[in-house]
Amino acid sequence: MKLLSTKATCNSHGQDSSYFLGWEEYEKNPYDDVHNPKGIIQMGLAENQLSFDLLESWLAKNPDASGFKQGGKSIFRELALFQDYHGLPSFKQALVDFMAEIRGNRVSFDPNHIVLTAGSTSANETLMFCLAEKGEAFLLPTPYYPGFDRDLKWRTGVEIVPIQCNSSNNFQITEQALQQAYKDAQERNLKVKGVMVTNPSNPLGTTMSRSELNLLVDFIEENKDMHLISDEIYSGTVFSSPNFISVMEILKERNDLQDFKQTDNICERVHVVYSLSKDLGLPGFRVGALYSENDEVVAAATKMSSFGLISSQTQYLLSSMLGDKKFTKNYLAENLKRLKKRHGKLVSGLQKAGINCLESNAALFCWVDMRHLLPSNTFEAEMDLWKKIVYQVGLNISPGSSCHCNEPGWFRVCFANMSEETLKQAMKRLKAFVVESTGNVNSVTSRSTLQKTKSVLTKWVFRLSSRDHRDHQEER
Amino acid sequence: MKLLSTKATCNSHGQDSSYFLGWEEYEKNPYDVVQNPKGIIQMGLAENQLSFDLLESWLAKNPDVAGFKRDGKSIFRELALFQDYHGLPSFKKALVDFMAEIRGNKITFDPNHIVLTAGATSANETLMFCLAEQGEAFLLPTPYYPGFDRDLKWRTGVEIVPIQCTSSNNFQITESALQQAHEEAKKKNLRVKGVLVTNPSNPLGTTMSKSELNLLIDFIKDKDMHLISDEIYSGTVFTSPNFVSVMEILKERNDLKDFDANVSERVHIVYSLSKDLGLPGFRVGAIYSENDMVVAAATKMSSFGLVSSQTQYLLSAMLGDKKFTRNYISENQKRLKKRQGMLVLGLQKAGISCLKTNNAGLFCWVDMRNLLSSNTFEAEMELWKKILYNVKLNISPGASCHCTEPGWFRVCFANMSEDTLNLAMKRLKDFVANNNGEECSSNKRTRSTQASRSFSRKSLSNWVFRLSSRDRHEQEER
């Protein structure tokens, strides 16, 4: 009898080892402007480090929020005992207000329809448990966040079937790609329970267009047993036009236009996921949420949230912070300004190195086009290039294949998790590398390089299966 | 095609509706010494409210910690960004030291073998995901914590097969009960992956004897199984016998060279700060295992329920203060002992006894068999309803804990003030006195029994309906 479960032993789910290797290399040799100026610069981590000063200044002005006090009175006992999986009412109210504000108050959310979870990692898995099971699948547009392979599939048994998007139309979802994905699922004998999108997109950094959103809503309107999940974790990072349009707005619009049949239950099949890990830069606090108009989903998800409740200490702090509307208004605006500026620096730095990226208006990274640097239009060449960038250029960036992109040569490069100086340094190195490379562009990739690539790949696979110790960050 | 998954729609797992009804009634009519002195007193919630002043005093002396400061310097950014599922090293160290201290430092724990989770609820489910799957089962001694039906089975597909324990030997686990449970599992076509015990026990409030622990180790050794010891109440042992952790037994056997190297890799501990420290809201749980594969898999799974870094930091400082923890552990136990004594005495005055071996936990396992109109679970429900509606005490009926003998109830003592406890005991005494009076007139009793029985059936239907149509305030009632 085997000692552990299948889930415990089937470690990797075909997750790309490059993520982990890049991380390992960074950990061994992390850049520090003083102590290790030649080290590897981390550009694979989608963290928002640009606006901590705003949070710290609020904390300094409001010490009671972290000191378990309310109106000068200690509420430590109440918080210590508060484990109600319905969540702290004041926090839920503050959170839905914040979510509404991010959407320009064009939609509002009912706090009774929010389920709090320990991060959106937990929210996404919980939604899978509620909506699907083994033998069933969700369709996801590629490229997508690598963590979904674990979050959506691992313990749930649910499958992911990709909706193939490509650069010909800036990776937007087309009707044809949707239908093709649906066919692919059927061929694999999988019942499709719905579609899941990340909007704004990780790793593209773009907001979904109105037509894409309507396409998706049409799709689930036709298929009355399907759901649409919109992970809007980056909704507060939309720094330039077009404005962010939430799927909830589309539903509202269509409802107002009475573009819904009477018996339609479409609002009960659309669910939104949110988190404070990107907008507020607080991944450590584990604050996630799922929003649904479907009472059964809310009821089941609420019970499941027992397995990942948010610390009441943290709920209280954030109920206070997000309840300060003057603060949130200013924070949202200032944060966007800084993201826009930093994004601009990355884009121009890349341009100076002769590298373009997908025109993007959101998130904490750019989707960078390095196809012209590939000796061949293959994923092997992409891996080759990635290795060079990690080891020679000293930048840890994320290769498109790890995001299930079907075109080689794209990379996700983060810009909000380092100082301006460090970003400049990274761009300088990249430019130097490109100049060197294009100088050598006539030197065709020799057989020996290919073989070296193959042998290193084998090592990675071996290393991945024999020990894990570095895949610890949530690299969204 | 159904819209939601089976898991989402199969709501109750046969969970007893009494838990929820009792809670609902309490919520509608909660006791308050000033505002509602005739209200229902909550005695069904295993919370430790006796030592908050010690925690508050520590917080007042160490204001920087809650303020995200370390040595006067702000570490807010580092904490805000810290989401490493390996956990905050200083917190893991402080936690294992605390766990060792609770065990009189008779054993030590390696911080690299600890996995942090959002509460023991998450730890237990995660262990199930790691050790078993659909078609497999764990054996659990009855009576057990009702939440296990959800925590161990719901999303995992794993089954629970009970090890039937009885009052004849104070509900201790016997070899024959173990073997019987194993047989039953086989009959149900379930592969048994191990045994899970709560030590100290919920709802018994007793520590496991050395012989029970050795029996369990022998059993899992023989059958190549796992043993999970949920030691969430380990810090609440207030009187002898001392708490003996399964880890100590392993160490003893190792020292005596009665050791199977494999066995240590199949014994896992679960812990939490929800009972000892009274901090259920902070969601701090842990899995401890010497099995590297389990630690590796559980660590990854903890992504689905990490402990807030804000909370990890606060507790790393608090538990890192050894002077504080030493004093807290002993003072907390003193208070628990005193409070338990009050409950036992109050029950005695009402002519009610409880399990004599109660030496831990936040509750007593109370024997009300002599108050039953018949030795049936229907009679137990009847009595429970009377206690809820007439006496206005919300206590937990043994049936909800899968007890095989009717008439036992779990009554909590650490979640209210002394005065409230005294009042509860007075009400109970009056109730028993009246009840005895009634029993003198057998005709009266027959009529009232019949009336209550039919009332009871009708109410049961109502409860079942209410349970399926709306769920209320289901607290983590450990």
Side-chain angles (χ1 to χ4, degrees), chain A residues 277-294:
Chain A
S277 299
K278 307 298 172 182
D279 296 345
L280 251 53
L282 304 173
F285 288 6
R286 312 317 300 144
V287 183
L290 61 93
Y291 185 87
S292 178
E293 299 284 346
N294 186 318

Side-chain angles (χ1 to χ4, degrees), chain A residues 2-3 5-6 56 77 80 82-85 129-130 133 191 193 227 284 311-314 471-472 474, chain B residues 1-3 5-6 56 77 80 83-85 129-130 133 193 226 281 308-311 473-474 476:
Chain A
K2 54 177 175 50
L3 199 62
S5 68
T6 308
E56 286 172 312
R77 289 173 197 225
F82 187 83
Q83 54 171 339
D84 183 352
Y85 57 28
F129 271 124
C130 288
E133 43 207 48
K191 228 178 327 199
K193 288 312 284 282
H227 298 268
S311 168
S312 58
Q313 175 189 19
T314 301
D471 51 311
H472 48 254
E474 307 297 323
Chain B
M1 180 166 71
K2 54 178 174 48
L3 198 62
S5 67
T6 307
E56 286 172 313
R77 291 175 194 223
Q83 55 172 338
D84 183 351
Y85 58 30
F129 271 124
C130 288
E133 43 207 48
K193 290 310 284 285
H226 295 274
S308 168
S309 58
Q310 175 190 18
T311 302
H473 222 342
E474 293 166 26
E476 310 298 323

Side-chain angles (χ1 to χ4, degrees), chain A residues 1-9 11 47 49 52-53 55-56 59 66 68 74 76-77 79-86 118 121-122 125-126 129-133 136 150-151 154-155 191-193 224-225 227 265 269 281-286 294 296-297 299-300 303-304 306-314 317 468-469 471-474, chain B residues 1-9 11 47 49 52-53 55-56 59 66-68 74 76-77 79-86 118 121-122 125-126 129-133 136 150-151 154-155 191-193 223-224 226 266 278-283 291 293-294 296-297 300-301 303-311 314 471-476:
Chain A
M1 178 167 70
K2 54 177 175 50
L3 199 62
L4 303 194
S5 68
T6 308
K7 287 185 177 76
T9 45
N11 241 340
E47 286 176 344
Q49 296 193 24
F52 279 134
D53 59 312
L55 301 177
E56 286 172 312
L59 285 171
S66 35
F68 304 98
S74 170
F76 175 75
R77 289 173 197 225
L79 290 175
L81 292 172
F82 187 83
Q83 54 171 339
D84 183 352
Y85 57 28
H86 290 102
T121 298
S122 181
E125 190 197 42
T126 295
F129 271 124
C130 288
L131 306 179
E133 43 207 48
E136 301 178 338
R150 173 198 64 191
D151 299 350
W154 190 15
R155 309 191 303 180
K191 228 178 327 199
V192 178
K193 288 312 284 282
K224 298 216 177 298
D225 31 28
H227 298 268
N265 65 343
R269 293 185 283 115
L282 304 173
F285 288 6
R286 312 317 300 144
N294 186 318
E296 270 198 277
V297 172
K303 287 196 180 75
M304 286 189 187
S306 299
F307 300 110
L309 295 174
I310 302 176
S311 168
S312 58
Q313 175 189 19
T314 301
L317 173 66
D468 87 293
H469 56 266
D471 51 311
H472 48 254
Q473 287 279 39
E474 307 297 323
Chain B
M1 180 166 71
K2 54 178 174 48
L3 198 62
L4 302 194
S5 67
T6 307
K7 287 184 178 72
T9 46
N11 240 342
E47 285 175 345
Q49 296 194 24
F52 279 135
D53 59 312
L55 301 176
E56 286 172 313
L59 285 171
F68 304 97
S74 170
F76 174 74
R77 291 175 194 223
L79 290 176
L81 291 171
F82 187 84
Q83 55 172 338
D84 183 351
Y85 58 30
H86 290 100
T121 297
S122 181
E125 191 199 41
T126 294
F129 271 124
C130 288
L131 305 180
E133 43 207 48
E136 301 179 336
R150 174 198 64 193
D151 300 350
W154 189 17
R155 307 191 304 180
R191 209 173 3 207
V192 180
K193 290 310 284 285
K223 298 194 169 5
D224 262 326
H226 295 274
R266 293 188 275 112
L279 304 173
F282 288 6
R283 313 316 301 146
N291 186 318
M293 277 182 95
V294 171
K300 289 197 179 75
M301 286 190 189
S303 299
F304 301 109
L306 296 173
V307 179
S308 168
S309 58
Q310 175 190 18
T311 302
L314 175 69
D471 83 296
R472 298 271 276 138
H473 222 342
E474 293 166 26
Q475 283 281 41
E476 310 298 323

Side-chain angles (χ1 to χ4, degrees), chain A residues 184-221:
Chain A
D184 290 345
Q186 289 190 307
E187 261 157 46
R188 288 167 71 176
N189 242 333
L190 296 163
K191 228 178 327 199
V192 178
K193 288 312 284 282
V195 181
M196 173 157 176
V197 298
T198 305
N199 176 29
S201 163
N202 175 9
L204 302 175
T206 53
T207 48
M208 258 190 179
S209 64
R210 239 200 182 94
S211 50
E212 275 174 291
L213 288 164
N214 275 303
L215 173 68
L216 291 169
V217 176
D218 286 339
F219 185 70
I220 64 159
E221 213 182 3

